[in-house]
PDB file of all heavy atoms in Angstrom:
ATOM      1  N   VAL G 189     -18.716 -10.177  -2.827  1.00  0.00           N
ATOM      2  CA  VAL G 189     -19.710  -9.554  -2.097  1.00  0.00           C
ATOM      3  C   VAL G 189     -19.885 -10.153  -0.777  1.00  0.00           C
ATOM      4  O   VAL G 189     -20.016 -11.414  -0.438  1.00  0.00           O
ATOM      5  CB  VAL G 189     -21.090  -9.940  -2.805  1.00  0.00           C
ATOM      6  CG1 VAL G 189     -22.288  -9.392  -2.104  1.00  0.00           C
ATOM      7  CG2 VAL G 189     -21.072  -9.263  -4.239  1.00  0.00           C
ATOM      8  N   GLY G 190     -19.737  -9.323   0.309  1.00  0.00           N
ATOM      9  CA  GLY G 190     -19.965  -9.693   1.610  1.00  0.00           C
ATOM     10  C   GLY G 190     -18.597 -10.439   2.218  1.00  0.00           C
ATOM     11  O   GLY G 190     -18.606 -10.920   3.354  1.00  0.00           O
ATOM     12  N   ASP G 191     -17.572 -10.298   1.362  1.00  0.00           N
ATOM     13  CA  ASP G 191     -16.357 -11.104   1.807  1.00  0.00           C
ATOM     14  C   ASP G 191     -15.211 -10.133   2.104  1.00  0.00           C
ATOM     15  O   ASP G 191     -14.056 -10.395   1.937  1.00  0.00           O
ATOM     16  CB  ASP G 191     -15.955 -12.057   0.810  1.00  0.00           C
ATOM     17  CG  ASP G 191     -16.656 -13.302   0.775  1.00  0.00           C
ATOM     18  OD1 ASP G 191     -17.554 -13.546   1.736  1.00  0.00           O
ATOM     19  OD2 ASP G 191     -16.453 -14.181  -0.075  1.00  0.00           O
ATOM     20  N   THR G 192     -15.561  -8.965   2.700  1.00  0.00           N
ATOM     21  CA  THR G 192     -14.461  -8.067   3.008  1.00  0.00           C
ATOM     22  C   THR G 192     -13.538  -8.539   4.070  1.00  0.00           C
ATOM     23  O   THR G 192     -12.373  -7.951   4.288  1.00  0.00           O
ATOM     24  CB  THR G 192     -15.083  -6.632   3.437  1.00  0.00           C
ATOM     25  OG1 THR G 192     -15.893  -6.853   4.503  1.00  0.00           O
ATOM     26  CG2 THR G 192     -15.682  -6.027   2.213  1.00  0.00           C
ATOM     27  N   ARG G 193     -13.830  -9.520   4.809  1.00  0.00           N
ATOM     28  CA  ARG G 193     -12.947 -10.130   5.834  1.00  0.00           C
ATOM     29  C   ARG G 193     -11.638 -10.738   5.125  1.00  0.00           C
ATOM     30  O   ARG G 193     -10.665 -10.860   5.785  1.00  0.00           O
ATOM     31  CB  ARG G 193     -13.620 -11.350   6.518  1.00  0.00           C
ATOM     32  CG  ARG G 193     -14.565 -10.864   7.740  1.00  0.00           C
ATOM     33  CD  ARG G 193     -15.238 -12.098   8.442  1.00  0.00           C
ATOM     34  NE  ARG G 193     -14.173 -12.964   8.910  1.00  0.00           N
ATOM     35  CZ  ARG G 193     -14.366 -14.260   9.219  1.00  0.00           C
ATOM     36  NH1 ARG G 193     -15.592 -14.861   8.907  1.00  0.00           N
ATOM     37  NH2 ARG G 193     -13.407 -15.012   9.635  1.00  0.00           N
ATOM     38  N   ILE G 194     -11.788 -10.887   3.897  1.00  0.00           N
ATOM     39  CA  ILE G 194     -10.573 -11.399   3.123  1.00  0.00           C
ATOM     40  C   ILE G 194      -9.464 -10.305   3.212  1.00  0.00           C
ATOM     41  O   ILE G 194      -8.298 -10.654   3.442  1.00  0.00           O
ATOM     42  CB  ILE G 194     -10.923 -11.745   1.655  1.00  0.00           C
ATOM     43  CG1 ILE G 194     -11.750 -12.888   1.572  1.00  0.00           C
ATOM     44  CG2 ILE G 194      -9.634 -11.866   0.775  1.00  0.00           C
ATOM     45  CD1 ILE G 194     -12.564 -13.023   0.250  1.00  0.00           C
ATOM     46  N   VAL G 195      -9.832  -9.056   3.161  1.00  0.00           N
ATOM     47  CA  VAL G 195      -8.868  -7.993   3.298  1.00  0.00           C
ATOM     48  C   VAL G 195      -8.322  -7.921   4.756  1.00  0.00           C
ATOM     49  O   VAL G 195      -7.090  -7.843   4.866  1.00  0.00           O
ATOM     50  CB  VAL G 195      -9.579  -6.641   3.014  1.00  0.00           C
ATOM     51  CG1 VAL G 195      -8.618  -5.492   3.200  1.00  0.00           C
ATOM     52  CG2 VAL G 195     -10.037  -6.580   1.509  1.00  0.00           C
ATOM     53  N   ASP G 196      -9.135  -8.080   5.698  1.00  0.00           N
ATOM     54  CA  ASP G 196      -8.740  -8.205   7.055  1.00  0.00           C
ATOM     55  C   ASP G 196      -7.581  -9.243   7.228  1.00  0.00           C
ATOM     56  O   ASP G 196      -6.608  -9.094   7.984  1.00  0.00           O
ATOM     57  CB  ASP G 196      -9.871  -8.355   8.051  1.00  0.00           C
ATOM     58  CG  ASP G 196     -10.910  -7.260   7.921  1.00  0.00           C
ATOM     59  OD1 ASP G 196     -10.461  -6.084   7.586  1.00  0.00           O
ATOM     60  OD2 ASP G 196     -12.030  -7.482   8.194  1.00  0.00           O
ATOM     61  N   VAL G 197      -7.964 -10.397   6.751  1.00  0.00           N
ATOM     62  CA  VAL G 197      -6.943 -11.549   6.801  1.00  0.00           C
ATOM     63  C   VAL G 197      -5.571 -11.256   6.183  1.00  0.00           C
ATOM     64  O   VAL G 197      -4.691 -11.470   6.990  1.00  0.00           O
ATOM     65  CB  VAL G 197      -7.542 -12.824   6.135  1.00  0.00           C
ATOM     66  CG1 VAL G 197      -6.407 -13.989   6.047  1.00  0.00           C
ATOM     67  CG2 VAL G 197      -8.808 -13.421   6.855  1.00  0.00           C
ATOM     68  N   HIS G 198      -5.599 -10.670   5.041  1.00  0.00           N
ATOM     69  CA  HIS G 198      -4.394 -10.201   4.461  1.00  0.00           C
ATOM     70  C   HIS G 198      -3.571  -9.120   5.116  1.00  0.00           C
ATOM     71  O   HIS G 198      -2.422  -9.134   5.209  1.00  0.00           O
ATOM     72  CB  HIS G 198      -4.538  -9.998   2.997  1.00  0.00           C
ATOM     73  CG  HIS G 198      -4.805 -11.199   2.096  1.00  0.00           C
ATOM     74  ND1 HIS G 198      -5.864 -11.913   2.210  1.00  0.00           N
ATOM     75  CD2 HIS G 198      -3.929 -11.752   1.185  1.00  0.00           C
ATOM     76  CE1 HIS G 198      -5.820 -12.980   1.319  1.00  0.00           C
ATOM     77  NE2 HIS G 198      -4.625 -12.878   0.758  1.00  0.00           N
ATOM     78  N   ILE G 199      -4.492  -8.110   5.702  1.00  0.00           N
ATOM     79  CA  ILE G 199      -3.774  -7.114   6.434  1.00  0.00           C
ATOM     80  C   ILE G 199      -3.112  -7.700   7.766  1.00  0.00           C
ATOM     81  O   ILE G 199      -1.964  -7.229   8.073  1.00  0.00           O
ATOM     82  CB  ILE G 199      -4.884  -6.050   6.879  1.00  0.00           C
ATOM     83  CG1 ILE G 199      -5.395  -5.288   5.720  1.00  0.00           C
ATOM     84  CG2 ILE G 199      -4.234  -5.111   8.006  1.00  0.00           C
ATOM     85  CD1 ILE G 199      -4.307  -4.192   5.090  1.00  0.00           C
ATOM     86  N   SER G 200      -3.794  -8.559   8.333  1.00  0.00           N
ATOM     87  CA  SER G 200      -3.264  -9.233   9.495  1.00  0.00           C
ATOM     88  C   SER G 200      -1.948  -9.972   9.135  1.00  0.00           C
ATOM     89  O   SER G 200      -0.833  -9.879   9.868  1.00  0.00           O
ATOM     90  CB  SER G 200      -4.133 -10.297  10.080  1.00  0.00           C
ATOM     91  OG  SER G 200      -3.633 -10.944  11.188  1.00  0.00           O
TER      92      SER G 200
END
Side-chain angles (χ1 to χ4, degrees):
V189 178
D191 279 355
T192 54
R193 281 181 55 204
I194 293 164
V195 174
D196 299 332
V197 167
H198 282 71
I199 290 290
S200 179

